[in-house]
Amino acid sequence: MISADQALVKKMNKKLVLREIIHTSPVSRAKLSEVTGLNKTTVSSQVADLLDDNLIFEIGQGLSSGGRRPVMLVFNKNAGFTIGIDLGVDYLTIVLTDLEGTIVSESHQKIDSTLPCDLQKLMITLLEKQISVIPDSRYGLIGICLGVPGLVNNDQELTFTPNSNWSEIPFKQILEQTFQVPVFVENEANTGAYGEKEYGAAKHFKNIVYVSINAGIGTGVIQNNELLKGKNGLFGEMGHTVIDFNGPRCTCGNRGCWELYASEKALHQSLMSNNQTVMWQDILHRAKQNDPQVLQALDTFGFYLGIGLKNIINTFDPEVIILRNRIIEAFPQVLNSIRHTLVPNHTHAPDVNILLVSALKHNATALGAAAIMIKHFIDGVTA
Ligand SMILES: [Zn+2]
């Protein structure tokens, strides 16, 4: 009979071996033993379990350092599939991925944020479409994770959405009942941060702040590879840090929040004339044509972004800050204005190389949501 302690150690070993195969495959049993520090018998027994679970498979033979050529082990990325959702204020992005986050199918849809009822129906229809193309596999659809622009508490309830009515919808319950799979709900910037860490610009860093600049500003913080959430899911909610206590009133109730000055909405408002809304594509087009009014507005946008990013650097001391914004991605000159604000003539000025632009771009939140679901799945099958 094995004790509870032994059972726990066995599970931890299984997870360790699987994680190593995921990150370094193809890999031999001998190499696994070397890098995990587990003895060869333990590795062999865990590998046999994982082969039974269809989570890994054996391929040809690797390079030998003398003697018999070892059989190599590979993660079975097609053992199951997941769906990551990015629910924006006016769009819905859905990606179907394998267990390595490779997109198998995706859909992008414009939506009307004033109609929560229609959104539910539309989301279910689009999900059914994606689910219908999932290839045959051992685990099928492992679950769904949804990234939303708002506050998500530790019970995964959406408690506050400043720019939409989405908090009226109990997404977790609806999707779990409809599709009978595990469903996770997470703040969009947290999923984006996780996505960039797993598959994007922050792959090689442990301490990351991800800043998504849309209608508002979302921030996701990863420290020592862990996504930080706080007691109420408020952790690192930097968009609502006050940069001017005499400033205009924000939807959160405070005055002069950072996102009132440095969000894309603020940039659009600064360029509005005669109450005519400006499209982001127009801003980009005019910027590329050196339109002085747009260049000035972008310089101010960069200045205000820099002000908040300074607060972020002084609060979290990250290795990198990933910026997710469609205008900055297409017109990186905005980074110069940000850097100019970040680096005054001071010996303690941060390294400007700390700023990176999102590598996953418009799919960052959806891919990060998929990555979070995959992590839950891996934790579950090795539990
Ligand atoms: Zn606010």
Side-chain angles (χ1 to χ4, degrees), residues 89-321:
V89 172
D90 59 0
Y91 67 87
L92 177 62
T93 291
I94 300 179
V95 298
L96 170 69
T97 80
D98 64 23
L99 297 180
E100 278 181 349
T102 310
I103 297 177
V104 177
S105 169
E106 62 189 294
S107 71
H108 302 270
Q109 180 88 34
K110 281 248 147 217
I111 53 172
D112 184 345
S113 66
T114 55
L115 302 168
C117 270
D118 289 3
L119 172 70
Q120 268 182 55
K121 279 186 224 148
L122 177 70
M123 190 184 276
I124 288 171
T125 310
L126 291 173
L127 286 171
E128 279 167 346
K129 227 179 248 174
Q130 293 296 340
I131 291 167
S132 72
V133 301
I134 292 179
D136 276 341
S137 60
R138 165 82 174 257
Y139 298 95
L141 178 65
I142 59 161
I144 298 170
C145 180
L146 170 75
V148 276
L151 268 187
V152 180
N153 69 17
N154 290 327
D155 294 325
Q156 295 180 64
E157 291 154 346
L158 191 52
T159 53
F160 176 58
T161 48
N163 297 298
S164 66
N165 300 324
W166 303 153
S167 58
E168 292 168 19
I169 310 175
F171 289 105
K172 186 174 165 68
Q173 288 86 332
I174 292 171
L175 297 181
E176 272 179 350
Q177 275 164 19
T178 312
F179 298 108
Q180 301 290 311
V181 289
V183 173
F184 291 88
V185 179
E186 185 55 88
N187 167 271
E188 60 85 25
N190 284 351
T191 60
Y194 199 76
E196 293 290 344
K197 198 205 145 13
E198 286 293 296
Y199 312 127
K203 244 182 186 174
H204 306 294
F205 300 98
K206 286 179 173 179
N207 299 291
I208 303 147
V209 176
Y210 169 92
V211 182
S212 75
I213 305 134
N214 297 303
I217 295 183
T219 324
V221 182
I222 292 180
Q223 264 179 13
N224 253 331
N225 291 328
E226 288 292 323
L227 196 54
L228 300 183
K229 312 247 303 195
K231 181 169 168 266
N232 301 301
L234 260 170
F235 199 94
E237 193 56 39
M238 298 301 285
H240 295 281
T241 46
V242 175
I243 61 167
D244 179 3
F245 58 79
N246 286 319
R249 182 78 70 189
C250 177
T251 46
C252 75
N254 291 325
R255 281 185 182 278
C257 293
W258 182 36
E259 71 171 38
L260 297 177
Y261 301 85
S263 61
E264 211 178 277
K265 198 167 157 185
L267 171 66
H268 286 208
Q269 277 163 356
S270 74
L271 284 166
M272 243 164 76
S273 58
N274 305 325
N275 274 337
Q276 286 284 331
T277 343
V278 198
M279 304 291 285
W280 73 275
Q281 292 94 334
D282 293 337
I283 297 177
L284 202 55
H285 179 71
R286 286 167 61 189
K288 286 183 174 169
Q289 309 241 309
N290 289 323
D291 178 323
Q293 192 201 359
V294 167
L295 292 182
Q296 178 59 51
L298 286 173
D299 191 46
T300 309
F301 176 54
F303 167 76
Y304 281 126
L305 277 170
I307 295 290
L309 293 174
K310 265 192 216 193
N311 289 337
I312 285 180
I313 291 169
N314 286 321
T315 310
F316 302 107
D317 190 17
E319 289 168 87
V320 281
I321 297 177

